[in-house]
Amino acid sequence: MRCSDEQDHTGINKTLEIVGDKWTVPLIHHLVQGKNRFGILKRSMPGISPKTLTLRLRKLEADGIIARKVFPEVPLHVEYRLTEKGRSLEKVFQAMHEWGK
């Protein structure tokens, strides 16, 4: 792949805008394993604050990477899962893993 000008970087820039922060890749990695609740995600990522996790989840939902399902129970039960668009990132992360090795 050869990029000749700034326009050619649009896809890369958009991908990095979505997944380029500290917590998004680990978060998506946990959701690749299957749907998860907020508390499970929080415990599986030591060091992330509840506020940061909430912000990341909201951003990924707005970007169409994850879906949020609320169950009307007490206490509130919310599950997060990858959308089809989010699942397409598995190939990207696998390529990054292979390259990193």
Side-chain angles (χ1 to χ4, degrees):
M1 180 176 89
R2 187 175 157 97
C3 297
S4 59
D5 61 25
E6 188 62 34
Q7 287 284 346
D8 292 338
H9 297 286
T10 304
I12 293 170
N13 291 340
K14 182 63 176 174
T15 302
L16 289 174
E17 178 186 316
I18 293 171
V19 300
D21 68 84
K22 177 180 178 178
W23 294 108
T24 300
V25 172
L27 179 56
I28 291 172
H29 171 74
H30 289 295
L31 290 172
V32 164
Q33 313 304 317
K35 59 188 172 192
N36 260 309
R37 294 175 71 172
F38 184 91
I40 294 169
L41 292 168
K42 170 78 175 84
R43 285 189 296 278
S44 66
M45 298 189 316
I48 192 169
S49 70
K51 180 180 178 180
T52 299
L53 179 55
T54 298
L55 292 173
R56 290 291 99 223
L57 288 167
R58 285 181 184 162
K59 175 81 167 85
L60 289 170
E61 185 179 11
D63 289 333
I65 304 299
I66 65 170
R68 177 178 183 260
K69 184 174 182 180
V70 179
F71 295 86
E73 301 172 355
V74 176
L76 193 63
H77 177 118
V78 181
E79 288 182 346
Y80 298 91
R81 65 170 178 77
L82 291 176
T83 61
E84 187 175 325
K85 182 179 178 181
R87 288 228 167 262
S88 70
L89 286 167
E90 287 182 71
K91 295 178 207 161
V92 174
F93 291 164
Q94 183 62 37
M96 290 170 62
H97 172 74
E98 292 298 320
W99 185 88
K101 288 191 331 186

